Amino acid sequence: MTTLDDLPIRDDLRGRTPYGAPQLDVPVRLNTNENSYPVPEPVVEAIGKALAAELRDLNRYPDRDAVALRADLAAYLGHGLTVDRIWAANGSNEIQQQLLQAFGGPGRTALGFTPAYSMHPLLALGTGTGWIRAVRGVDFGLTADEAVAQVRAHRPDVVFLCSPNNPTGTALDPAVVAAVLAEAPGMVIVDEAYAEFARPGTVSALAVLPDHPRLVVTRTMSKAFGFAGGRLGYLAADPAVVQAVQLVRLPYHLSALTQAAARAALAHRDALLGTVTAIMAQRDRIVAELRARGHRVADSDANFVLFEVGGDQATAWHTLLDAGVLVRDVGLPGWLRVTAGTPAETDAFLAAMEKLPS
Ligand SMILES: *Cc1c(COP(=O)(O)O)cnc(C)c1O
């Protein structure tokens, strides 16, 4: 049998394992920060109609530049954004891959503040971009001084910021974004996958886009919109950044079906985003309840909560799984991450937590 090692694979890919959040068939799945609520029936019907309308024309390539969808996304984001400042792809993962293809690559580096989203270093690896593992400070926070010192030391071509940060959950102080923008010699990507769940008063980096041509804000329909299976992510940036990713994107990367489904979903955004308030209430309930039980818990502006288990997290992860609740072991010693879903899922999670040794 041929193994990977027998193939003339790139040296930098040898011995690597693929991204692999377990997709296990358990009653309560709270491990990938999906929206637990299914797509509402009227939206299912609208998406079905939109897809049906495309079928006859599938002999033709789709709009390469997805202009109508990008205009809809600009209208959703507000901030005076226009279609030339928006780009869309199959998930914000593909957006970030395209950004690294354009601004990273062999001989260049990208830097992120760990613990953060595990896909950022994997996207760097796949695009041949050197990865610089910078660190967060006390209680997983990140101050402007800590961020600037590490950017100054490494002078990366791309800086990843994540706000609200995955897996810790807390949004960044806008002063950190401003300080990094002032110091960074290259592009600054602010991954705002969870922006819709942020606590009141949280400021999006979208607000400072007009002043910063090297700033890119990435967003996704995978979380708040409950559209993870639809695969639609996007960015907002200077029009020149959109022109840069158009140099590296595959032609027709976004299928006619994806574009139509995403447009129908956006047209029903009130129905889809209607679950956000309920999810935020479960998030706040998990934080409060775990703190009341004596756990250390990170502040969360997202639809998940990072909590200390009081012992080995891999053992705790198995205990919760045995109780029918799948959470995420992000490899942080002593900590686990749980997605906030429905009230019943929170009940099941909190009940399963009673099984951990105290
Ligand atoms: C879930 C998540 C995404 C979403 O990726 P998609 O490709 O849009 O599904 C992006 N960034 C972070 C930090 C995430 O946690």
Side-chain angles (χ1 to χ4, degrees):
M1 212 183 67
T2 308
T3 70
L4 252 183
D5 284 337
D6 300 324
L7 296 175
I9 193 172
R10 274 163 41 186
D11 288 335
D12 59 347
L13 297 180
R14 282 191 191 282
R16 301 279 183 161
T17 46
Y19 173 88
Q23 292 191 304
L24 301 178
D25 191 15
V26 295
V28 181
R29 285 181 301 182
L30 300 175
N31 72 326
T32 50
N33 301 341
E34 292 153 329
N35 187 321
S36 290
Y37 292 92
V39 177
E41 208 47 47
V43 188
V44 169
E45 277 168 33
I47 294 175
K49 279 205 187 101
L51 291 176
E54 293 297 320
L55 298 180
R56 189 178 299 276
D57 295 325
L58 286 184
N59 58 315
R60 300 292 180 187
Y61 282 115
D63 175 8
R64 221 172 20 227
D65 293 331
V67 173
L69 170 60
R70 286 160 60 206
D72 292 351
L73 290 165
Y76 164 64
L77 283 182
H79 290 270
L81 287 161
T82 43
V83 64
D84 55 330
R85 294 172 184 271
I86 305 288
W87 182 246
N90 296 282
S92 50
N93 279 210
E94 186 179 28
I95 289 283
Q96 292 170 357
Q97 182 181 53
Q98 292 174 344
L99 287 166
L100 287 175
Q101 287 175 314
F103 298 105
R108 292 188 166 208
T109 56
L111 176 150
F113 298 93
T114 320
Y117 188 39
S118 62
M119 278 307 297
H120 296 157
L122 284 178
L123 293 167
L125 174 69
T127 56
T129 310
W131 180 252
I132 297 165
R133 187 179 169 281
V135 293
R136 303 177 77 85
V138 78
D139 286 340
F140 310 120
L142 185 64
T143 65
D145 286 350
E146 288 163 347
V148 163
Q150 296 179 86
V151 170
R152 186 175 295 150
H154 296 288
R155 302 197 56 78
D157 298 285
V158 178
V159 175
F160 279 100
L161 295 171
C162 192
S163 180
N165 186 49
N166 179 9
T168 58
T170 320
L172 275 179
D173 182 340
V176 178
V177 180
V180 168
L181 279 165
E183 183 66 31
M187 302 300 291
V188 176
I189 301 173
V190 184
D191 183 336
E192 293 192 351
Y194 300 97
E196 288 90 349
F197 296 107
R199 288 171 294 177
T202 306
V203 180
S204 165
L206 291 175
V208 295
L209 265 183
D211 307 326
H212 297 285
R214 289 181 291 103
L215 168 64
V216 189
V217 180
T218 68
R219 295 281 191 104
T220 181
M221 292 180 71
S222 293
K223 307 289 160 56
F225 276 90
F227 199 65
R231 306 306 299 128
L232 201 289
Y234 53 106
L235 67 72
D238 190 273
V241 175
V242 173
Q243 291 163 21
V245 293
Q246 284 174 327
L247 296 175
V248 298
R249 61 88 191 275
L250 295 173
Y252 319 112
H253 67 298
L254 215 43
S255 85
L257 300 178
T258 302
Q259 294 185 41
R263 293 195 68 204
L266 277 168
H268 291 80
R269 58 175 166 264
D270 290 346
L272 288 173
L273 295 174
T275 59
V276 167
T277 315
I279 291 167
M280 288 168 71
Q282 293 309 306
R283 183 251 338 258
D284 293 340
R285 179 183 161 208
I286 293 169
V287 171
E289 179 65 28
L290 292 182
R291 281 184 179 156
R293 295 184 191 184
H295 293 271
R296 282 172 73 206
V297 181
D299 287 331
S300 179
D301 290 292
N303 66 338
F304 57 84
V305 175
L306 187 75
F307 59 98
E308 202 172 31
V309 292
D312 173 53
Q313 88 282 356
T315 311
W317 182 85
H318 275 287
T319 305
L320 295 173
L321 185 61
D322 288 343
V325 179
L326 178 62
V327 300
R328 188 68 171 274
D329 179 356
V330 293
L332 263 186
W335 296 76
L336 290 173
R337 191 193 72 193
V338 62
T339 304
T342 65
E345 286 172 329
T346 305
D347 293 345
F349 164 69
L350 291 173
M353 283 293 291
E354 304 273 10
K355 307 240 190 287
L356 298 189
S358 50

